[in-house]
Amino acid sequence: MKSRYLQQGMYAAVLTIAATQMSTASPVDFSNLVEQVSPAVVSVNVVKKMTQEELLQQQVPEILRRFFGNQVIIPQQQGPQEKTAYGSAFFISKDGYLVTNHHVIADASRISVTLNDRRELDATLVGSDERTDVAVLKVTGGNFPELKIGDVNQLKVGEPILAIGSPFGFDYSASAGIVSAKSRNMSGETSVPFIQTDAALNPGNSGGPLFNQRGEVVGVNSRIFSGTGGYMGLSFSIPIDVAMEVVQQLKTNGKVTRSYLGILLQDIDRNLAEAYKLPKPEGSLITQVTAQSPAEKAGLKAGDVILTVNGVAISRTSDLLYTLNRIAPNQKVELGVLRDDKTRNITATLGTAPDDTPATGEKHDTNNNIGLGIRDLTAAEQARLDVSGGIFVQDVKRGGLASLSNIVAGDVITHVNGTVISNSQMFAKTIAALSKQGVVRVGIIRQGKRAMIGLRLK
């Protein structure tokens, strides 16, 4: 009988301990934090040109597409067909700079943001980087609320986090969770060591901030892992340190320049680790060295295993690529290499990656009445289009002369009145010289096809 009482007492004690643990594990109260940081978060409203596939889906009944596929002939529509999209962004400075995702504003003809106080402001694209999915916007004005930038290195797995954004257009929605993992590599991507969380993110959250408990931004919400298109417990954010490095380059240069070593790599698995006499799978195996590359000049060879970069151990290939991406071109790096069962140090001078991000932010407003936002074509774009020079139309102001003349975002302007347009400055000078004419002939390339448009100048 006494034993039973002792057991009951122990059971009661266990219940008391469990109740205490449950109380300490209760959800974090983010209410004060949401009130504090919400004014610096905005909704992004974007107008984009519809693709041919989207036009087809809109105009052709599903039953016809099911039987005839995309071979159904549809009448050509007059003027560009547009759609609206939405996302999120946040202020990083009092003078109106905002961070969002590249995919939120990609191919946008117009961008505006809605503030916490319901003001709607037009935004211009400063620059955008597809590889990291980071974009920078700018609105006119001052004294905007700016968010504090946190230290991702201090972020721990299991730590509570908060996300604010506009899922499905429902602006200023807050969702909370914990950090599920760090340095996630998704689908072979190597530019971003994603922060994985279980915060409920959905379409529209993209570009919004991820906060720690101190109200500091630690990430830019970017994507979800889903089989349905909706939230399934796996959300991914760009670490804020990665994003801010891209932001700085976009603000300074209008594009992102990356380092280049010139090697192909693969991870070390269990069998390779045994073959290379490594204590565990670690490092990154060089499978190919590009001719005349910085790697070849430094003496790296196929079959080498890179174990360290500047003294920092490399666990897997993604670690190596993340590290190299953070080092500026023309800098020297010391690589710890395993070759012929012996380790050695090899110094390499990084080059500049040949596939640099196009300078999507180098925008020139040629004339307020014309209403064009343009940039120069990159060398790669010129080669692809087989043109010499040319300018890319980034956005078209609604109601401007260009819009009324049926010039749309995505057009490439090659000629004006027979004069070859080599760059944005030349286009501006040519238009200024012809400003007294009523209409000028503008040669364009639209969706790979050449055409001529009459641009009215007054």
Side-chain angles (χ1 to χ4, degrees), residues 339-405:
R339 179 189 297 172
D340 299 330
D341 298 334
K342 296 180 181 180
T343 57
R344 66 187 70 193
N345 290 328
I346 295 179
T347 300
T349 301
L350 298 176
T352 301
D355 58 342
D356 284 346
T357 304
T360 56
E362 291 185 348
K363 184 186 298 183
H364 306 271
D365 294 318
T366 60
N367 185 294
N368 288 333
N369 293 326
I370 294 177
L372 277 182
I374 60 176
R375 66 164 171 84
D376 296 343
L377 289 179
T378 65
E381 289 170 329
Q382 291 177 11
R384 179 170 55 83
L385 295 172
D386 192 23
V387 296
S388 176
I391 57 173
F392 181 82
V393 177
Q394 288 185 266
D395 55 48
V396 181
K397 182 179 180 181
R398 179 185 294 180
L401 293 173
S403 175
L404 296 175
S405 300

Side-chain angles (χ1 to χ4, degrees), residues 73-216:
I73 299 176
I74 58 175
Q76 197 72 21
Q77 297 295 310
Q78 296 297 320
Q81 302 296 302
E82 296 180 324
K83 64 177 181 178
T84 57
Y86 46 82
S88 307
F90 56 94
F91 283 106
I92 56 171
S93 66
K94 293 184 180 297
D95 56 351
Y97 284 97
L98 303 112
V99 173
T100 187
N101 285 150
H102 164 84
H103 76 262
V104 169
I105 51 78
D107 303 318
S109 57
R110 291 187 297 277
I111 306 172
S112 63
V113 299
T114 302
L115 277 60
N116 183 259
D117 59 8
R118 315 312 302 163
R119 282 184 295 162
E120 185 171 354
L121 304 176
D122 290 331
T124 57
L125 178 62
V126 176
S128 184
D129 180 52
E130 182 176 5
R131 190 181 300 184
T132 54
D133 198 23
V134 173
V136 182
L137 304 177
K138 178 73 167 64
V139 294
T140 302
N143 200 31
F144 293 104
E146 63 177 322
L147 293 176
K148 296 179 180 178
I149 304 301
D151 185 355
V152 177
N153 293 325
Q154 300 299 318
L155 194 66
K156 298 179 180 179
V157 175
E159 180 177 334
I161 46 83
L162 169 74
I164 298 180
S166 304
F168 300 107
F170 295 104
D171 53 357
Y172 297 99
S173 296
S175 57
I178 63 168
V179 177
S180 303
K182 296 176 64 177
S183 297
R184 283 296 195 210
N185 177 245
M186 295 183 62
S187 302
E189 296 179 11
T190 56
S191 294
V192 178
F194 287 99
I195 301 169
Q196 179 187 331
T197 74
D198 64 350
L201 302 183
N202 283 289
N205 275 113
S206 294
L210 184 74
F211 296 98
N212 60 21
Q213 296 179 84
R214 295 180 294 278
E216 300 166 334

Side-chain angles (χ1 to χ4, degrees), residues 3 79 134 143 200 312 315 324 378 426:
S3 173
V134 173
N143 200 31
V312 178
S315 176
L324 293 178
T378 65
M426 183 177 181

